[in-house]
Amino acid sequence: MSARHSTRPRRIEDALSQLVDNLTHRFSYAATEDELPDEEYEALAVRQQENLEHSWRILDAYSNSSNDPTSPNGGAGLGITRRGSLAGGENINNASDLIKRKLLRENASPDKAMRFSNLYSRLLTQPVLSQKWAILYLLYRLSSLDDYDESFEEEGGSRSPAVEPGNIQNLLWKGQRARQGLGPMSDEEGPAISSSASQIPARLERKASQRRPEREIRDMGEDEELEMAQEHQRYRAMSDAAARDIQMEEQRTAQPQLAPDDQQKLARPAENGLLRDLPFVLQGLSSSNLEFTSSTLKLPPTLPIPLVSLLNTLAEPGLLYKGLSAFVESSSGGLLNQSLRAALSNELRSYLGLVATLEGEIRRALAAPGASTSPASVAKTGVTLKRCVVWTRDATMALRLMSVIVEEAQNKKGGQLISMIHGFSTSHGDPFVCALAEKLLTHVTRPFYDMLRLWIYDGELSDPYQEFFVVEPEVSPSTDPRRLATSVWEDKYKLDDDLVPSIITQDFAKKVFLIGKSLNFIRYGCGDSGWVEAYSKESSKELRYGDTASLETSIDEAYKSTMARLIYLMDEKFKLFDHLRALKKYLLLGQGDFIALLMESLASNLDRPANSQYRHTLTAQLEHAIRASNAQYDSSDVLRRLDARMLELSHGEIGWDCFTLEYKIDAPVDVVITPWGSTQYLKVFNFLWRVKRVEFALGSTWRRCMTGARGVLRSVDDKVGPDWKGARCAIAEMIHFVCQLQYYILFEVIEASWDQLQASISKPGCTLDDLIEAHTKYLESITHKGLLGSSSSSKSSSSNKHQEESFLTQLHQILKIMLAYKDAVDGLYSFSVAEFTRRQELSAKIETRTAQGRWGVTERDLLSSRRTRGHQNSVSSMSTPNVGNSADDIGTPSSLMGQDLSADDHMLASLRVRLRDLSAEFRSRLNTLLGDLAYQPDVDMRFLAVVMNFNDFYEPVRKRRTATSSRDKERLRRKAAEGNAQKEMKKERRDPTGPESASGSGAQAP
């Protein structure tokens, strides 16, 4: 028989040899040759050989068809192109892993293991060594020789089938087959071990030359044959020990080491026992096979991986249930937290019902016939660990969600807790999670809706744990002057935006807040608790989660009813709008006749120092003004609130500076007209009262001038006529300025703001907050525009510390200048009257002297007047001295005339200078004010500048924003005064009439 060349890998060849040997009849050549004659022995050997050859021909034919490139397999058979690579590479890697694990286990530092890895990588690159696995494994076994001997003794020999003495020849024939070139043998395949008789290399023939080796083998002694069999068994034991070491290393790294005693006691529990312990596992309780610690489940180390995976899945609900039970049993938190515990407790009871049902199924399955002896019978009943995992899947998801909710609810309360659970129901994509969150919300929101119902129907806040979004502050919210009123409306309740749940919107929350606050205000602030109780009995209904349409309808109805009742009470019972109109009439000077009468009656008293004013005098004058004006027709409730009083006194002030009117406001109207609002009214009144006082003073002076121009002033027109002409022009300018300022404040500011207030409070559905906001805007408008932006305080420059004047300061300065000019005009009028009186007396004396036959005025009187004019220093004395005889014994009034003329000249000069300076300063400041108003962003304030300078008479100059020194200011003032003086001189030149000397009027000869 020719040699058979195989292209299969060596390990595949060995496996096929074992397969053929098992399928064909095997016999021992050594034993058969002694029992049978040679002919029968040869026939038996030939038949055995023919069977083997037939088997190999079948395998070779299949292998050739698989290796045919034209076949569908394309020559890619069972490892043909990579012979031995799988087995060899795997063995090499396993040997290196064994060594590396041993080094890591025996050494505390990983340095030796790293060094071995470097050496191993270099070994793989060496092509010289072919049996790398054998070398590595040999070194590993030599390092642990004692462990190998013990393991070999425990195994009791090789785990492979015993090698029969007659099969020793197969090893030899296998080696002979390799030497005859039956097939190439890869160096990386390692030692091939096989006891198959199918490795006979050639056809057995009946020739003496071929049977000689068999005879030699049969002649071997029994001891030599046993020695070869033991050597083969030892080599096979080495290979099996390597595989066993690999498995032991993997188990050692996968699970903790156990003591020898524990390994002996440990036994793999059956699935029936695990099913019996499953109800305890699902409740987080320890059993005989499975033990729970604080947060973990300890599994037996001998369980297979599939069972470990199933038990891990089944242990999750048990651990979650254990944590949730601890949360449910606690008692901390508010009402919503307790409601959450109750909802979770219901879900846990449902879970326990599932566990009880599952336990009944398990007991029924374990009680079935044959369940104790055959685990398959339990599986036939339909109860397995896999099915238990499927049955508890939804419950596990529910427990997961509840556990997440419990973790998130640690630092949340009230609306925050509701918002968190509501987020799962609206933002999660799993329908199961959404449904469970909605179910929990139904229970959790019950305390919230109870508090909401009590708030919107009774106006009472029942929130012991501060979980509702309406809170009652313990301390004053701020020190803002607008919040100083200790009213039940502003300070009693606040809206906490952080506690507003996501199931309602911010606008909805504000509406709810207003409803409850209004009911509480009606009950305690307005004293109308009967209506609140009747409204609660009529409209109260149960509120629940999910009924959004009904909730919105209830809130809208409650909002309309409550707001309408509150506005009705403020208007009809407490006369809020009447008080607002009274404030406009009396404090904002809307009642003109009353203010005019009050000012006329108080003028004489207020000209005196402020410390000489008495309250009963002011009150009497106030009563007189009320009785004599249309104010008498107002209601008594309004009139009794009016009061006249003096502000804080300062040294040197007069009654005009400290007088004020006061309108008293009490609860609950002080919710709208707060103390801050009363202060704003007082501020505007003081400013308007000062403007009105200037107007009253200028009006009185103007009337006196107009009256005197037809009498007294006409007689002295030759001396003071130009002065009176300039004074009348200046007074007309000032009166024009005051009238335009009053018109702007009373009509452009106050009336326009009042119309806006009326429009705001007349809107349908107006609330008390709307009233408060509209009234606040009304006051801010009249104080900002009416006081010309007085809210902006004066600023200081960084270069120097001079402060810029605000509009209000400029107005006060202009008003002071106007009052000073009025005093100067009064002085000029007094001088004119004195001059008129002196002239009348002189005329009477001249007539008397003429009747006596003497000269009325002589030259000596004129010389005496010139001589004594330089010695007169007093200009304030206006009394007429006694008439005496002259030195020439002639009774002429020359000395008297000279003295009076000198004093009059000095007084007139000082009055002219004062009038000219005050007029120039008035125009200068007015130009500055008009220039600043022209650049204001507010349209009304720019319009004021246009009205005051409608004919471009003034030249507005914008005030410099950079601070100037006092010298520069004085220079600018003088320049403006000189400019005004030049204008007056030009006007005088245009007028042909001029001052004439009064001395020549009476010098006539008899």
Side-chain angles (χ1 to χ4, degrees):
M1 179 180 176
S2 62
R4 178 173 53 83
H5 298 276
S6 176
T7 60
R8 289 184 293 270
R10 181 62 178 272
R11 297 182 63 86
I12 297 177
E13 189 78 15
D14 294 340
L16 293 176
S17 299
Q18 293 180 4
L19 179 62
V20 171
D21 185 36
N22 292 330
L23 294 178
T24 58
H25 178 70
R26 296 182 298 175
F27 64 93
S28 178
Y29 289 92
T32 308
E33 186 178 7
D34 296 338
E35 297 175 358
L36 297 177
D38 293 339
E39 292 78 10
E40 294 181 3
Y41 175 80
E42 290 178 358
L44 182 60
V46 170
R47 188 165 51 254
Q48 177 70 20
Q49 188 63 25
E50 289 178 354
N51 293 335
L52 291 176
E53 288 180 354
H54 181 68
S55 300
W56 281 109
R57 279 197 298 271
I58 295 173
L59 293 174
D60 291 339
Y62 179 81
S63 177
N64 291 334
S65 63
S66 300
N67 296 335
D68 188 5
T70 61
S71 65
N73 295 332
L78 298 171
I80 296 174
T81 58
R82 297 179 60 190
R83 297 180 57 196
S85 63
L86 178 63
E90 184 180 358
N91 292 335
I92 292 175
N93 293 331
N94 291 339
S96 64
D97 291 341
L98 289 174
I99 297 175
K100 190 183 297 184
R101 293 170 184 170
K102 181 177 178 63
L103 293 175
L104 291 174
R105 187 171 61 253
E106 294 179 355
N107 298 280
S109 175
D111 295 339
K112 292 186 178 182
M114 296 296 296
R115 185 178 179 186
F116 169 74
S117 299
N118 295 332
L119 294 175
Y120 174 67
S121 60
R122 295 171 59 185
L123 176 63
L124 293 179
T125 59
Q126 301 296 327
V128 179
L129 300 177
S130 60
Q131 301 294 334
K132 299 181 179 63
W133 175 85
I135 295 173
L136 292 175
Y137 188 70
L138 176 62
L139 294 175
Y140 173 73
R141 296 306 299 173
L142 289 176
S143 64
S144 57
L145 186 60
D146 297 336
D147 297 338
Y148 166 74
D149 294 338
E150 293 176 1
S151 62
F152 182 77
E153 291 176 1
E154 290 176 1
E155 288 292 331
S158 176
R159 288 181 294 178
S160 62
V163 179
E164 298 180 359
N167 291 334
I168 297 300
Q169 57 182 346
N170 295 335
L171 298 174
L172 301 178
W173 288 344
K174 178 179 66 178
Q176 182 181 1
R177 176 170 171 256
R179 287 192 299 271
Q180 290 178 359
L182 295 180
M185 182 175 179
S186 176
D187 295 335
E188 297 179 359
E189 290 181 357
I193 310 267
S194 179
S195 61
S196 175
S198 62
Q199 299 297 325
I200 299 177
R203 180 180 296 178
L204 184 60
E205 299 179 355
R206 298 289 297 174
K207 294 182 181 180
S209 59
Q210 293 180 352
R211 295 193 56 182
R212 188 175 295 111
E214 299 175 7
R215 296 294 182 181
E216 294 177 357
I217 292 176
R218 285 197 302 268
D219 293 339
M220 290 182 181
E222 192 70 25
D223 296 335
E224 187 176 356
E225 185 176 355
L226 291 176
E227 184 178 356
M228 293 178 62
Q230 291 178 359
E231 188 68 24
H232 176 66
Q233 291 176 353
R234 184 179 296 275
Y235 194 73
R236 287 295 302 272
M238 185 182 298
S239 178
D240 295 339
R244 185 174 65 255
D245 291 337
I246 294 173
Q247 184 178 3
M248 291 177 64
E249 287 293 336
E250 293 178 353
Q251 293 179 358
R252 187 181 298 112
T253 57
Q255 60 187 11
Q257 294 289 337
L258 297 176
D261 298 339
D262 295 338
Q263 290 181 356
Q264 294 177 2
K265 295 179 181 180
L266 192 59
R268 178 183 299 178
E271 186 173 1
N272 294 351
L274 296 178
L275 285 174
R276 187 179 294 105
D277 296 339
L278 183 59
F280 299 98
V281 174
L282 294 177
Q283 299 179 58
L285 303 175
S286 300
S287 60
S288 58
N289 296 321
L290 305 173
E291 181 180 358
F292 273 95
T293 58
S294 59
S295 61
T296 56
L297 175 63
K298 186 177 180 181
L299 300 177
T302 57
L303 288 176
I305 294 178
L307 286 180
V308 171
S309 177
L310 293 175
L311 290 177
N312 285 332
T313 305
L314 292 171
E316 181 184 3
L319 294 173
L320 294 176
Y321 174 81
K322 192 174 181 181
L324 292 173
S325 299
F327 174 76
V328 168
E329 293 174 358
S330 62
S331 59
S332 61
L335 296 179
L336 269 72
N337 291 84
Q338 297 175 14
S339 180
L340 176 61
R341 289 187 178 89
L344 295 180
S345 178
N346 294 334
E347 296 298 325
L348 292 182
R349 282 196 292 271
S350 301
Y351 172 75
L352 291 178
L354 173 64
V355 173
T357 303
L358 190 60
E359 182 180 7
E361 294 293 333
I362 293 173
R363 289 185 178 182
R364 191 178 299 107
L366 294 177
S372 59
T373 58
S374 176
S377 61
V378 179
K380 290 180 181 180
T381 60
V383 180
T384 60
L385 291 178
K386 290 184 179 179
R387 293 192 177 183
C388 291
V389 169
V390 175
W391 292 339
T392 58
R393 181 174 300 171
D394 291 344
T396 304
M397 292 180 63
L399 293 175
R400 288 176 188 169
L401 176 61
M402 290 188 289
S403 179
V404 171
I405 291 175
V406 168
E407 292 178 1
E408 294 291 335
Q410 295 298 325
N411 298 323
K412 291 181 174 59
K413 65 175 184 177
Q416 299 173 351
L417 180 62
I418 296 176
S419 300
M420 184 264 295
I421 302 176
H422 186 253
F424 286 101
S425 65
T426 56
S427 303
H428 204 282
D430 193 346
F432 178 81
V433 175
C434 296
L436 182 60
E438 289 286 332
K439 184 178 180 182
L440 291 177
L441 275 177
T442 305
H443 296 277
V444 173
T445 55
R446 286 180 181 175
F448 174 80
Y449 280 102
D450 291 340
M451 289 185 283
L452 179 63
R453 183 186 59 80
L454 192 62
W455 174 254
I456 65 175
Y457 290 124
D458 295 330
E460 298 290 342
L461 181 62
S462 176
D463 186 16
Y465 298 97
Q466 296 182 354
E467 296 176 299
F468 199 55
F469 57 85
V470 177
V471 296
E472 188 173 1
E474 299 178 357
V475 295
S476 179
S478 64
T479 57
D480 188 1
R482 302 186 185 187
R483 308 291 184 183
L484 291 179
T486 57
S487 64
V488 295
W489 182 265
E490 290 292 334
D491 302 333
K492 191 172 183 179
Y493 297 108
K494 299 295 179 183
L495 178 63
D496 191 352
D497 295 333
D498 295 335
L499 293 179
V500 176
S502 59
I503 59 177
I504 61 176
T505 62
Q506 287 290 338
D507 295 337
F508 190 84
K510 291 179 180 178
K511 188 177 292 187
V512 169
F513 174 67
L514 281 178
I515 293 172
K517 188 168 68 169
S518 301
L519 288 174
N520 189 275
F521 182 72
I522 292 172
R523 181 191 292 269
Y524 298 103
C526 301
D528 195 5
S529 59
W531 181 87
V532 176
E533 294 176 357
Y535 167 76
S536 176
K537 293 179 181 179
E538 179 183 357
S539 304
S540 180
K541 61 181 69 174
E542 184 180 1
L543 304 178
R544 69 173 71 89
Y545 174 75
D547 194 1
T548 307
S550 176
L551 178 62
E552 292 181 354
T553 304
S554 302
I555 295 298
D556 291 339
E557 293 178 355
Y559 181 79
K560 293 178 181 179
S561 302
T562 306
M563 294 299 108
R565 180 63 182 180
L566 181 58
I567 298 300
Y568 171 79
L569 289 175
M570 296 299 291
D571 184 16
E572 298 295 332
K573 184 177 180 180
F574 300 105
K575 308 295 181 182
L576 171 63
F577 302 128
D578 292 343
H579 294 314
L580 292 176
R581 283 188 287 269
L583 287 169
K584 177 177 175 293
K585 281 184 180 181
Y586 301 113
L587 295 188
L588 300 183
L589 309 189
Q591 190 75 26
D593 56 344
F594 166 77
I595 298 298
L597 287 173
L598 180 64
M599 191 163 289
E600 289 178 1
S601 60
L602 290 174
S604 58
N605 293 326
L606 297 180
D607 287 335
R608 296 196 300 267
N611 54 8
S612 63
Q613 305 295 327
Y614 298 99
R615 186 179 181 85
H616 65 274
T617 304
L618 301 177
T619 305
Q621 297 298 331
L622 176 63
E623 292 291 336
H624 170 71
I626 291 175
R627 294 176 183 274
S629 65
N630 289 330
Q632 60 182 326
Y633 300 109
D634 285 339
S635 63
S636 58
D637 181 61
V638 171
L639 296 178
R640 68 178 179 83
R641 296 176 184 271
L642 274 177
D643 187 20
R645 64 184 182 90
M646 302 298 291
L647 297 175
E648 296 181 1
L649 304 179
S650 298
H651 180 70
E653 291 183 345
I654 61 177
W656 290 104
D657 300 327
C658 301
F659 175 79
T660 185
L661 278 182
E662 183 181 13
Y663 192 85
K664 298 179 181 180
I665 299 295
D666 52 9
V669 182
D670 61 347
V671 171
V672 179
I673 308 173
T674 60
W676 172 83
S678 299
T679 304
Q680 298 302 106
Y681 279 113
L682 182 62
K683 184 187 299 183
V684 177
F685 171 78
N686 291 332
F687 176 71
L688 292 176
W689 181 257
R690 181 170 298 182
V691 175
K692 201 71 175 178
R693 175 209 174 184
V694 172
E695 182 196 17
F696 176 76
L698 291 177
S700 301
T701 302
W702 178 261
R703 287 192 298 271
R704 181 185 298 178
C705 293
M706 292 298 101
T707 304
R710 293 189 294 268
V712 177
L713 300 181
R714 180 179 297 179
S715 300
V716 294
D717 189 63
D718 55 342
K719 188 173 184 178
V720 294
D723 298 328
W724 276 110
K725 184 177 181 180
R728 283 194 294 266
C729 291
I731 291 176
E733 292 180 22
M734 295 178 182
I735 291 176
H736 170 73
F737 171 79
V738 172
C739 290
Q740 294 300 327
L741 182 61
Q742 285 192 99
Y743 167 79
Y744 166 75
I745 297 175
L746 295 177
F747 293 95
E748 297 295 337
V749 176
I750 296 179
E751 288 296 334
S753 301
W754 177 260
D755 292 339
Q756 295 178 0
L757 175 63
Q758 291 290 99
S760 299
I761 63 180
S762 300
K763 292 181 180 179
C766 180
T767 64
L768 189 59
D769 278 336
D770 295 337
L771 284 178
I772 296 173
E773 183 179 1
H775 184 255
T776 303
K777 289 182 179 179
Y778 168 70
L779 290 178
E780 290 176 351
S781 176
I782 62 177
T783 52
H784 178 70
K785 292 183 180 181
L787 303 181
L788 300 184
S790 62
S791 59
S792 59
S793 60
S794 57
K795 301 179 182 178
S796 60
S797 175
S798 59
S799 59
N800 50 39
K801 297 183 179 180
H802 296 285
Q803 295 183 348
E804 297 181 356
E805 295 177 343
S806 64
F807 289 121
L808 186 60
T809 306
Q810 295 183 48
L811 287 175
H812 286 320
Q813 293 296 330
I814 292 175
L815 294 177
K816 287 181 180 179
I817 292 173
M818 295 166 70
L819 290 176
Y821 193 85
K822 176 255 182 188
D823 294 337
V825 171
D826 289 343
L828 180 61
Y829 185 82
S830 299
F831 173 81
S832 300
V833 172
E835 178 69 17
F836 174 77
T837 304
R838 187 186 64 79
R839 289 187 178 187
Q840 292 293 330
E841 292 178 355
L842 182 60
S843 299
K845 290 180 181 180
I846 290 174
E847 291 178 357
T848 303
R849 287 183 181 183
T850 303
Q852 294 175 359
R854 292 182 297 174
W855 294 100
V857 178
T858 61
E859 293 181 359
R860 187 177 296 178
D861 295 335
L862 298 178
L863 293 175
S864 177
S865 173
R866 294 191 190 100
R867 226 178 9 254
T868 57
R869 188 175 298 173
H871 299 285
Q872 301 298 328
N873 296 323
S874 176
V875 295
S876 59
S877 176
M878 301 182 62
S879 62
T880 303
N882 296 327
V883 180
N885 297 328
S886 61
D888 53 358
D889 296 329
I890 301 175
T892 61
S894 58
S895 59
L896 175 63
M897 183 182 65
Q899 182 180 0
D900 292 344
L901 289 176
S902 177
D904 292 343
D905 290 342
H906 282 283
M907 177 178 288
L908 182 60
S910 63
L911 288 174
R912 285 174 177 175
V913 172
R914 182 168 177 78
L915 289 173
R916 184 173 62 250
D917 291 345
L918 289 175
S919 177
E921 187 175 1
F922 168 75
R923 291 191 179 96
S924 175
R925 289 187 177 274
L926 183 57
N927 288 332
T928 303
L929 177 63
L930 295 178
D932 291 341
L933 289 175
Y935 293 95
Q936 288 301 308
D938 190 83
V939 179
D940 295 332
M941 297 176 70
R942 294 200 303 267
F943 179 73
L944 175 62
V946 174
V947 170
M948 289 184 177
N949 194 22
F950 66 95
N951 56 355
D952 294 335
F953 176 78
Y954 300 102
E955 297 177 358
V957 178
R958 190 176 185 185
K959 184 173 57 179
R960 292 184 180 179
R961 294 305 175 190
T962 57
T964 57
S965 62
S966 59
R967 184 178 301 176
D968 295 337
K969 291 181 179 180
E970 184 66 22
R971 186 172 63 252
L972 292 174
R973 190 183 65 80
R974 288 179 180 177
K975 188 178 295 186
E978 291 176 358
N980 294 330
Q982 291 177 1
K983 288 183 180 180
E984 291 180 357
M985 291 176 64
K986 290 180 181 180
K987 291 180 181 179
E988 290 178 357
R989 289 176 183 175
R990 295 174 185 175
D991 191 1
T993 60
E996 298 178 355
S997 175
S999 60
S1001 60
Q1004 297 179 358

